[in-house]
Amino acid sequence: FTTHTPVPAGHDAFPESMIRQYMGHYPDRLGITWEQFINLGKTNPNDPNEKFSMSFLACNLSQEVNGVSWLHGEVSKDILGGMWPGYFKDELHIGYVTNGVHFFTWCAANLQRLYAKYFPEGFSLPDYSIPAWQKVHEIPDSELWAERLVLKNKLIAHVKKRVSDPAHFRFDSPVQLIRIHESLKPDVLTIGFARRFATYKRAHLLFTNLDRLDAIVNNPERPVQFLFAGKAHPNDKPGQDLIKRIVEVAAMPRFAGKVIFLQNYDMELARRMVQGVDIWLNTPTRPLEASGTSGEKAVMNGTMHFSVLDGWWVEGYHEGGGWKLPMERTFEDQNFQNELDAELIYTTIENDIVPKYYNRSTDNVPHEWVEAIKVCLADIAPNFTTNRMLTDYQERFYGKLYERNTHMRADDFRMAREIAAWKRKVSNAWDKVRIVSAQRIDMGKEAILIGHSYNVEVVVDIDGLKADDIGVEMIMADQIDDGNNVKVVAKRELKLERQEGSLAFYRIASTPDTTGSFDIAIRVFPKNAKLPHRMDFALVKWA
């Protein structure tokens, strides 16, 4: 199961009454009870007030779960972790594969030809070579810059044609149209923002301080122009209000032709923009950007990314090849955070981006800017293609799922039947399992010292089960101040020493190797080598 968003609206949940209305016949078809069926979508079994979550259902019916970037995988552990209350966030089996985009679809044809001239092995299947992209540094600055200008001129021409077409652009007065044609120029630093207009993407951030924005776009020597495009969901009124605000600002005399909102956003316009603008701007609310593939499309065209360190940019950012806003929040109040981020955007544009773009040599080539493009292409772009993405899925998930599927199906599903029978046996006996005692058996109250070995013994009443059905482990975590934020630093499994009737004795000789203040607990869990991971059968008892 690949989860694609941390935004609550992306995780559908429905009342049990609605599920019963439309799917009441499913348990009979599956040969299970209604309670078994409905609990597949809940974290609290048999709670009639808890909604049936499609994401919980997907997790329960999947062996593997992943987010679409490293950070999204970590956030998904918070969102979905309640399904496995006996385990902490950093123990969960939720992984990640960062999204990638299709090189041949989104990379401009002229750049494909240029890359093929200098490093064809960088994207020739099946010998796809990420290190080969370092050869982009061998491309003469003037040659790379010339190809970038080709794309920018195409974008400007496309925009002018589009705003002249009543089917694609509505304006308040002919003056607005004239201003766009007069002001929009290929030699002006151009920043693009185009995507779905959801409120968490904060498209309005640039308009926090209109006077400061005015100074940036109307700088007589080093102007900047902004192109906006996108659509909001028909039922997303706040998203539609964001678009309305941008349209209002774009119509103001001081921003006419300098801030442009392009209507009827489609794939063709998206392709032109990611290929033709100089900077791709992204301003999501941390950490709600699961991945963000538009920026990946931009960087493979030498369009540098300027974004919050969220989604793919946490992994993609490389100093000298783009710009970032911090990943950590400064303020809990989102309005304060928005204001701070807006100021950081203005400052970065004024003090870093604009000087680097307009610093030209006698050949009118911005060599410092082109070097940044090369860093972007060599160190960022090749790591975010679908080729790399599919390789990661194969290595991290598909390969082992195929292998396990083969074992499960062998001998008329023998392994599957054995696991099911074992789970039934353990489930029926689990309430009787209890931890009788857990103690250090060879020391008094003296301090625990590094390098000294201490014996810990745990006695478990396993009435109805075999000793090898039970695992016992000692968990050490940084001292816990917040029960929702536990950092496990060590796990050590105890070995079965002997059995006396229904009592099983487990022991470990533990030698501390880290100083500090820690919390230690004993966890008892069902143990079976045939399970893919603990979350597959997450029964737990603690001491």
Side-chain angles (χ1 to χ4, degrees), residues 220-243:
E221 297 179 353
R222 296 178 169 184
V224 180
Q225 55 198 13
F226 291 88
L227 299 180
F228 283 83
K231 293 181 178 179
H233 190 280
N235 296 327
D236 184 3
K237 182 62 165 57
Q240 294 169 11
D241 289 342
L242 290 180
I243 294 177

PDB file of all heavy atoms in Angstrom, residues 220-243:
ATOM      1  N   PRO A 220      14.212  48.767 -11.381  1.00  0.00           N
ATOM      2  CA  PRO A 220      14.498  49.252 -12.737  1.00  0.00           C
ATOM      3  C   PRO A 220      15.684  48.564 -13.408  1.00  0.00           C
ATOM      4  O   PRO A 220      15.746  48.492 -14.639  1.00  0.00           O
ATOM      5  CB  PRO A 220      14.776  50.747 -12.530  1.00  0.00           C
ATOM      6  CG  PRO A 220      15.176  50.869 -11.098  1.00  0.00           C
ATOM      7  CD  PRO A 220      14.409  49.811 -10.363  1.00  0.00           C
ATOM      8  N   GLU A 221      16.630  48.066 -12.627  1.00  0.00           N
ATOM      9  CA  GLU A 221      17.817  47.442 -13.211  1.00  0.00           C
ATOM     10  C   GLU A 221      17.741  45.925 -13.188  1.00  0.00           C
ATOM     11  O   GLU A 221      18.270  45.261 -14.091  1.00  0.00           O
ATOM     12  CB  GLU A 221      19.067  47.898 -12.452  1.00  0.00           C
ATOM     13  CG  GLU A 221      19.326  49.394 -12.561  1.00  0.00           C
ATOM     14  CD  GLU A 221      20.554  49.804 -11.782  1.00  0.00           C
ATOM     15  OE1 GLU A 221      21.121  48.942 -11.055  1.00  0.00           O
ATOM     16  OE2 GLU A 221      20.955  50.975 -11.881  1.00  0.00           O
ATOM     17  N   ARG A 222      17.107  45.363 -12.180  1.00  0.00           N
ATOM     18  CA  ARG A 222      17.060  43.903 -12.020  1.00  0.00           C
ATOM     19  C   ARG A 222      15.630  43.462 -11.684  1.00  0.00           C
ATOM     20  O   ARG A 222      15.353  43.036 -10.577  1.00  0.00           O
ATOM     21  CB  ARG A 222      18.031  43.457 -10.936  1.00  0.00           C
ATOM     22  CG  ARG A 222      19.496  43.754 -11.278  1.00  0.00           C
ATOM     23  CD  ARG A 222      20.409  43.343 -10.153  1.00  0.00           C
ATOM     24  NE  ARG A 222      21.817  43.373 -10.558  1.00  0.00           N
ATOM     25  CZ  ARG A 222      22.828  42.985  -9.798  1.00  0.00           C
ATOM     26  NH1 ARG A 222      22.586  42.553  -8.564  1.00  0.00           N
ATOM     27  NH2 ARG A 222      24.076  43.032 -10.249  1.00  0.00           N
ATOM     28  N   PRO A 223      14.710  43.542 -12.641  1.00  0.00           N
ATOM     29  CA  PRO A 223      13.310  43.196 -12.369  1.00  0.00           C
ATOM     30  C   PRO A 223      13.103  41.685 -12.275  1.00  0.00           C
ATOM     31  O   PRO A 223      13.954  40.886 -12.680  1.00  0.00           O
ATOM     32  CB  PRO A 223      12.578  43.772 -13.579  1.00  0.00           C
ATOM     33  CG  PRO A 223      13.595  43.713 -14.673  1.00  0.00           C
ATOM     34  CD  PRO A 223      14.922  43.999 -14.028  1.00  0.00           C
ATOM     35  N   VAL A 224      11.961  41.309 -11.750  1.00  0.00           N
ATOM     36  CA  VAL A 224      11.552  39.901 -11.632  1.00  0.00           C
ATOM     37  C   VAL A 224      10.106  39.796 -12.088  1.00  0.00           C
ATOM     38  O   VAL A 224       9.298  40.687 -11.814  1.00  0.00           O
ATOM     39  CB  VAL A 224      11.677  39.396 -10.179  1.00  0.00           C
ATOM     40  CG1 VAL A 224      11.253  37.934 -10.083  1.00  0.00           C
ATOM     41  CG2 VAL A 224      13.100  39.582  -9.660  1.00  0.00           C
ATOM     42  N   GLN A 225       9.776  38.731 -12.806  1.00  0.00           N
ATOM     43  CA  GLN A 225       8.391  38.499 -13.207  1.00  0.00           C
ATOM     44  C   GLN A 225       7.944  37.125 -12.702  1.00  0.00           C
ATOM     45  O   GLN A 225       8.732  36.179 -12.655  1.00  0.00           O
ATOM     46  CB  GLN A 225       8.226  38.613 -14.721  1.00  0.00           C
ATOM     47  CG  GLN A 225       9.129  37.721 -15.533  1.00  0.00           C
ATOM     48  CD  GLN A 225       9.243  38.164 -16.994  1.00  0.00           C
ATOM     49  OE1 GLN A 225       8.850  39.270 -17.370  1.00  0.00           O
ATOM     50  NE2 GLN A 225       9.803  37.301 -17.839  1.00  0.00           N
ATOM     51  N   PHE A 226       6.676  37.040 -12.312  1.00  0.00           N
ATOM     52  CA  PHE A 226       6.127  35.825 -11.719  1.00  0.00           C
ATOM     53  C   PHE A 226       4.993  35.293 -12.596  1.00  0.00           C
ATOM     54  O   PHE A 226       4.093  36.048 -12.995  1.00  0.00           O
ATOM     55  CB  PHE A 226       5.582  36.093 -10.319  1.00  0.00           C
ATOM     56  CG  PHE A 226       6.646  36.399  -9.301  1.00  0.00           C
ATOM     57  CD1 PHE A 226       7.085  37.705  -9.104  1.00  0.00           C
ATOM     58  CD2 PHE A 226       7.207  35.383  -8.543  1.00  0.00           C
ATOM     59  CE1 PHE A 226       8.065  37.996  -8.171  1.00  0.00           C
ATOM     60  CE2 PHE A 226       8.195  35.664  -7.602  1.00  0.00           C
ATOM     61  CZ  PHE A 226       8.627  36.971  -7.415  1.00  0.00           C
ATOM     62  N   LEU A 227       5.027  33.992 -12.872  1.00  0.00           N
ATOM     63  CA  LEU A 227       3.953  33.322 -13.605  1.00  0.00           C
ATOM     64  C   LEU A 227       3.278  32.326 -12.676  1.00  0.00           C
ATOM     65  O   LEU A 227       3.937  31.440 -12.113  1.00  0.00           O
ATOM     66  CB  LEU A 227       4.508  32.584 -14.825  1.00  0.00           C
ATOM     67  CG  LEU A 227       5.211  33.429 -15.895  1.00  0.00           C
ATOM     68  CD1 LEU A 227       5.697  32.531 -17.026  1.00  0.00           C
ATOM     69  CD2 LEU A 227       4.274  34.507 -16.435  1.00  0.00           C
ATOM     70  N   PHE A 228       1.973  32.472 -12.509  1.00  0.00           N
ATOM     71  CA  PHE A 228       1.179  31.564 -11.683  1.00  0.00           C
ATOM     72  C   PHE A 228       0.188  30.815 -12.577  1.00  0.00           C
ATOM     73  O   PHE A 228      -0.330  31.375 -13.547  1.00  0.00           O
ATOM     74  CB  PHE A 228       0.386  32.329 -10.618  1.00  0.00           C
ATOM     75  CG  PHE A 228       1.213  32.786  -9.450  1.00  0.00           C
ATOM     76  CD1 PHE A 228       1.950  33.966  -9.532  1.00  0.00           C
ATOM     77  CD2 PHE A 228       1.261  32.047  -8.289  1.00  0.00           C
ATOM     78  CE1 PHE A 228       2.708  34.403  -8.470  1.00  0.00           C
ATOM     79  CE2 PHE A 228       2.027  32.476  -7.206  1.00  0.00           C
ATOM     80  CZ  PHE A 228       2.754  33.649  -7.297  1.00  0.00           C
ATOM     81  N   ALA A 229      -0.068  29.562 -12.232  1.00  0.00           N
ATOM     82  CA  ALA A 229      -1.096  28.785 -12.932  1.00  0.00           C
ATOM     83  C   ALA A 229      -1.560  27.678 -12.003  1.00  0.00           C
ATOM     84  O   ALA A 229      -0.857  27.289 -11.068  1.00  0.00           O
ATOM     85  CB  ALA A 229      -0.552  28.204 -14.240  1.00  0.00           C
ATOM     86  N   GLY A 230      -2.752  27.172 -12.249  1.00  0.00           N
ATOM     87  CA  GLY A 230      -3.256  26.073 -11.436  1.00  0.00           C
ATOM     88  C   GLY A 230      -4.762  26.092 -11.340  1.00  0.00           C
ATOM     89  O   GLY A 230      -5.432  27.017 -11.804  1.00  0.00           O
ATOM     90  N   LYS A 231      -5.281  25.040 -10.734  1.00  0.00           N
ATOM     91  CA  LYS A 231      -6.726  24.914 -10.544  1.00  0.00           C
ATOM     92  C   LYS A 231      -7.015  24.465  -9.121  1.00  0.00           C
ATOM     93  O   LYS A 231      -6.184  23.827  -8.483  1.00  0.00           O
ATOM     94  CB  LYS A 231      -7.308  23.888 -11.522  1.00  0.00           C
ATOM     95  CG  LYS A 231      -7.235  24.302 -12.988  1.00  0.00           C
ATOM     96  CD  LYS A 231      -7.853  23.247 -13.889  1.00  0.00           C
ATOM     97  CE  LYS A 231      -7.812  23.690 -15.354  1.00  0.00           C
ATOM     98  NZ  LYS A 231      -8.398  22.665 -16.255  1.00  0.00           N
ATOM     99  N   ALA A 232      -8.189  24.801  -8.644  1.00  0.00           N
ATOM    100  CA  ALA A 232      -8.665  24.339  -7.346  1.00  0.00           C
ATOM    101  C   ALA A 232      -9.787  23.335  -7.566  1.00  0.00           C
ATOM    102  O   ALA A 232     -10.476  23.363  -8.590  1.00  0.00           O
ATOM    103  CB  ALA A 232      -9.165  25.511  -6.500  1.00  0.00           C
ATOM    104  N   HIS A 233      -9.960  22.438  -6.599  1.00  0.00           N
ATOM    105  CA  HIS A 233     -11.057  21.482  -6.666  1.00  0.00           C
ATOM    106  C   HIS A 233     -12.378  22.251  -6.663  1.00  0.00           C
ATOM    107  O   HIS A 233     -12.514  23.273  -5.977  1.00  0.00           O
ATOM    108  CB  HIS A 233     -10.988  20.538  -5.461  1.00  0.00           C
ATOM    109  CG  HIS A 233     -11.923  19.377  -5.552  1.00  0.00           C
ATOM    110  ND1 HIS A 233     -13.267  19.478  -5.244  1.00  0.00           N
ATOM    111  CD2 HIS A 233     -11.718  18.095  -5.929  1.00  0.00           C
ATOM    112  CE1 HIS A 233     -13.851  18.302  -5.409  1.00  0.00           C
ATOM    113  NE2 HIS A 233     -12.928  17.444  -5.826  1.00  0.00           N
ATOM    114  N   PRO A 234     -13.373  21.796  -7.443  1.00  0.00           N
ATOM    115  CA  PRO A 234     -14.661  22.517  -7.503  1.00  0.00           C
ATOM    116  C   PRO A 234     -15.307  22.743  -6.145  1.00  0.00           C
ATOM    117  O   PRO A 234     -16.036  23.718  -5.957  1.00  0.00           O
ATOM    118  CB  PRO A 234     -15.527  21.607  -8.389  1.00  0.00           C
ATOM    119  CG  PRO A 234     -14.551  20.871  -9.235  1.00  0.00           C
ATOM    120  CD  PRO A 234     -13.336  20.652  -8.378  1.00  0.00           C
ATOM    121  N   ASN A 235     -15.042  21.847  -5.182  1.00  0.00           N
ATOM    122  CA  ASN A 235     -15.632  21.999  -3.855  1.00  0.00           C
ATOM    123  C   ASN A 235     -14.701  22.664  -2.852  1.00  0.00           C
ATOM    124  O   ASN A 235     -15.030  22.764  -1.673  1.00  0.00           O
ATOM    125  CB  ASN A 235     -16.049  20.623  -3.312  1.00  0.00           C
ATOM    126  CG  ASN A 235     -17.146  19.988  -4.149  1.00  0.00           C
ATOM    127  OD1 ASN A 235     -17.994  20.688  -4.698  1.00  0.00           O
ATOM    128  ND2 ASN A 235     -17.126  18.671  -4.257  1.00  0.00           N
ATOM    129  N   ASP A 236     -13.541  23.105  -3.323  1.00  0.00           N
ATOM    130  CA  ASP A 236     -12.551  23.713  -2.430  1.00  0.00           C
ATOM    131  C   ASP A 236     -12.663  25.236  -2.521  1.00  0.00           C
ATOM    132  O   ASP A 236     -11.949  25.884  -3.268  1.00  0.00           O
ATOM    133  CB  ASP A 236     -11.146  23.239  -2.812  1.00  0.00           C
ATOM    134  CG  ASP A 236     -10.077  23.757  -1.856  1.00  0.00           C
ATOM    135  OD1 ASP A 236     -10.442  24.428  -0.868  1.00  0.00           O
ATOM    136  OD2 ASP A 236      -8.885  23.487  -2.102  1.00  0.00           O
ATOM    137  N   LYS A 237     -13.562  25.804  -1.726  1.00  0.00           N
ATOM    138  CA  LYS A 237     -13.766  27.251  -1.748  1.00  0.00           C
ATOM    139  C   LYS A 237     -12.511  28.018  -1.302  1.00  0.00           C
ATOM    140  O   LYS A 237     -12.146  29.025  -1.928  1.00  0.00           O
ATOM    141  CB  LYS A 237     -14.950  27.609  -0.836  1.00  0.00           C
ATOM    142  CG  LYS A 237     -15.296  29.093  -0.799  1.00  0.00           C
ATOM    143  CD  LYS A 237     -15.725  29.625  -2.160  1.00  0.00           C
ATOM    144  CE  LYS A 237     -16.409  30.973  -2.046  1.00  0.00           C
ATOM    145  NZ  LYS A 237     -15.589  32.011  -1.380  1.00  0.00           N
ATOM    146  N   PRO A 238     -11.822  27.601  -0.235  1.00  0.00           N
ATOM    147  CA  PRO A 238     -10.590  28.319   0.139  1.00  0.00           C
ATOM    148  C   PRO A 238      -9.541  28.293  -0.972  1.00  0.00           C
ATOM    149  O   PRO A 238      -8.848  29.292  -1.196  1.00  0.00           O
ATOM    150  CB  PRO A 238     -10.103  27.565   1.386  1.00  0.00           C
ATOM    151  CG  PRO A 238     -11.342  26.968   1.966  1.00  0.00           C
ATOM    152  CD  PRO A 238     -12.181  26.592   0.783  1.00  0.00           C
ATOM    153  N   GLY A 239      -9.421  27.164  -1.677  1.00  0.00           N
ATOM    154  CA  GLY A 239      -8.479  27.090  -2.791  1.00  0.00           C
ATOM    155  C   GLY A 239      -8.861  28.040  -3.918  1.00  0.00           C
ATOM    156  O   GLY A 239      -8.000  28.697  -4.520  1.00  0.00           O
ATOM    157  N   GLN A 240     -10.163  28.148  -4.193  1.00  0.00           N
ATOM    158  CA  GLN A 240     -10.640  29.079  -5.221  1.00  0.00           C
ATOM    159  C   GLN A 240     -10.391  30.527  -4.792  1.00  0.00           C
ATOM    160  O   GLN A 240     -10.072  31.382  -5.635  1.00  0.00           O
ATOM    161  CB  GLN A 240     -12.132  28.841  -5.459  1.00  0.00           C
ATOM    162  CG  GLN A 240     -12.440  27.474  -6.063  1.00  0.00           C
ATOM    163  CD  GLN A 240     -13.925  27.162  -6.045  1.00  0.00           C
ATOM    164  OE1 GLN A 240     -14.754  28.026  -5.776  1.00  0.00           O
ATOM    165  NE2 GLN A 240     -14.268  25.908  -6.323  1.00  0.00           N
ATOM    166  N   ASP A 241     -10.483  30.792  -3.483  1.00  0.00           N
ATOM    167  CA  ASP A 241     -10.224  32.151  -2.991  1.00  0.00           C
ATOM    168  C   ASP A 241      -8.756  32.535  -3.176  1.00  0.00           C
ATOM    169  O   ASP A 241      -8.437  33.719  -3.397  1.00  0.00           O
ATOM    170  CB  ASP A 241     -10.603  32.248  -1.504  1.00  0.00           C
ATOM    171  CG  ASP A 241     -12.113  32.208  -1.301  1.00  0.00           C
ATOM    172  OD1 ASP A 241     -12.854  32.447  -2.277  1.00  0.00           O
ATOM    173  OD2 ASP A 241     -12.547  31.905  -0.166  1.00  0.00           O
ATOM    174  N   LEU A 242      -7.853  31.555  -3.082  1.00  0.00           N
ATOM    175  CA  LEU A 242      -6.435  31.834  -3.333  1.00  0.00           C
ATOM    176  C   LEU A 242      -6.230  32.308  -4.768  1.00  0.00           C
ATOM    177  O   LEU A 242      -5.500  33.279  -5.022  1.00  0.00           O
ATOM    178  CB  LEU A 242      -5.592  30.588  -3.074  1.00  0.00           C
ATOM    179  CG  LEU A 242      -5.427  30.129  -1.624  1.00  0.00           C
ATOM    180  CD1 LEU A 242      -4.568  28.877  -1.572  1.00  0.00           C
ATOM    181  CD2 LEU A 242      -4.818  31.221  -0.759  1.00  0.00           C
ATOM    182  N   ILE A 243      -6.866  31.618  -5.704  1.00  0.00           N
ATOM    183  CA  ILE A 243      -6.761  32.011  -7.110  1.00  0.00           C
ATOM    184  C   ILE A 243      -7.341  33.415  -7.313  1.00  0.00           C
ATOM    185  O   ILE A 243      -6.754  34.251  -8.007  1.00  0.00           O
ATOM    186  CB  ILE A 243      -7.476  30.993  -8.008  1.00  0.00           C
ATOM    187  CG1 ILE A 243      -6.757  29.643  -7.951  1.00  0.00           C
ATOM    188  CG2 ILE A 243      -7.564  31.493  -9.450  1.00  0.00           C
ATOM    189  CD1 ILE A 243      -7.429  28.549  -8.751  1.00  0.00           C
TER     190      ILE A 243
END
